[in-house]
Amino acid sequence: MKDRISITDLARLRNVTTETLRYYDRIGLFKPIYVDPNTKYRYYSILQYEKLGTIKELRQLGMKLKEIKEYFDNRSSKKSLSMLVNKHSELKDKITKLQLLEISISQKINFLKSAIDESNTNNVVLKKFYDRKIFTFGKLMKNQIDLSYGFLELENSFEEIAPILASNRLGFIIPKENIESLKNTRENKIFGFYNGKTKVDRKYIRNIKGGVYACIYNSGKPWYREESVKKIIKYIKDNNLVVIGDALQVAKIDITVTDILEEECFEIQIPVKINDK
């Protein structure tokens, strides 16, 4: 058995590419024992198999080449242990983040499936909601420019994984008087649902009382809601109900997931109670 072997043979024995070995040589991580001065062909010792195998395993553990070079610099069991402990800590942190990401994506998939199914109906339904919290900076939105700046300000307050995409985190407040009078229904203030993770002054947080809400899905841009508002108000009057607070218009399917105007969909939620007069 020969001690000196070619770069091709070592690559085959260790199941790596010759280009990988050339790169390791260029960065000083794994150098050949001899380079032919005429052909520049690299030769390695079979005794180097251990180091190359260790490099492969450290790469599998997620170490960067810079870290691996440090690993081989004055190796000792305590130093190796310390580096492995640090890498383990990094791995656990990545796993935690990936688990949170998986939960977030799963929730978005389920939400979007439900939103697509419900958006195909245009009927008024009664829904019960628990107490909720929103935050709003109180700026009136009158056009697309106002809306863009307003949403940007709200989105910058979220500190979660993809909080806006395929979710119902944003919406509009429609004042009670505008709903009842059917006037100025295009003017509204935007809001975000608050869950305690948002970086916002508490003076901007508002409680939304739980209870029964008359709800309807409205397709198209959010300010094209007059017909849906008329329909829901008619339902409220026909069923001996009365509006008891500001309405919310919550984004369900918006420009974060579709470019088709007809697919955009918002749910109008109006708090009601039985008219006991």
Side-chain angles (χ1 to χ4, degrees), residues 208-260:
I208 301 297
K209 188 174 178 58
V212 177
Y213 284 70
C215 304
I216 191 171
Y217 275 82
N218 182 72
S219 298
K221 290 298 181 183
W223 44 83
Y224 298 139
R225 62 171 79 99
E226 286 91 342
E227 292 305 315
S228 292
V229 171
K230 289 178 181 178
K231 185 172 182 178
I232 203 169
I233 288 298
K234 182 178 185 303
Y235 175 92
I236 289 172
K237 292 179 178 179
D238 290 347
N239 288 272
N240 194 36
L241 300 172
V242 61
V243 178
I244 59 173
D246 294 344
L248 301 181
Q249 185 175 14
V250 182
K252 295 293 182 176
I253 301 175
D254 59 20
I255 57 174
T256 64
V257 296
T258 185
D259 290 323
I260 302 173

Side-chain angles (χ1 to χ4, degrees), residues 186-223:
R186 291 192 181 189
E187 293 186 2
N188 37 241
K189 299 174 182 177
I190 61 174
F191 74 87
F193 279 110
Y194 179 78
N195 62 0
K197 299 178 182 179
T198 305
K199 53 179 183 181
V200 61
D201 193 308
R202 296 198 66 83
K203 68 182 180 181
Y204 297 119
I205 299 174
R206 173 176 165 183
N207 293 318
I208 301 297
K209 188 174 178 58
V212 177
Y213 284 70
C215 304
I216 191 171
Y217 275 82
N218 182 72
S219 298
K221 290 298 181 183
W223 44 83

Side-chain angles (χ1 to χ4, degrees), residues 6-17:
S6 69
I7 187 173
T8 302
D9 287 341
L10 181 62
R12 177 177 53 82
L13 289 171
R14 267 304 182 184
N15 195 28
V16 297
T17 66

Side-chain angles (χ1 to χ4, degrees), residues 154-204:
L154 285 180
E155 289 181 27
N156 286 338
S157 300
F158 289 104
E159 294 184 314
E160 304 152 58
I161 299 174
I164 307 302
L165 178 70
S167 68
N168 59 346
R169 298 299 301 279
L170 298 177
F172 306 87
I173 302 170
I174 310 174
K176 177 176 179 287
E177 57 270 22
N178 292 2
I179 290 291
E180 292 178 319
S181 66
L182 295 177
K183 295 179 180 179
N184 300 321
T185 57
R186 291 192 181 189
E187 293 186 2
N188 37 241
K189 299 174 182 177
I190 61 174
F191 74 87
F193 279 110
Y194 179 78
N195 62 0
K197 299 178 182 179
T198 305
K199 53 179 183 181
V200 61
D201 193 308
R202 296 198 66 83
K203 68 182 180 181
Y204 297 119

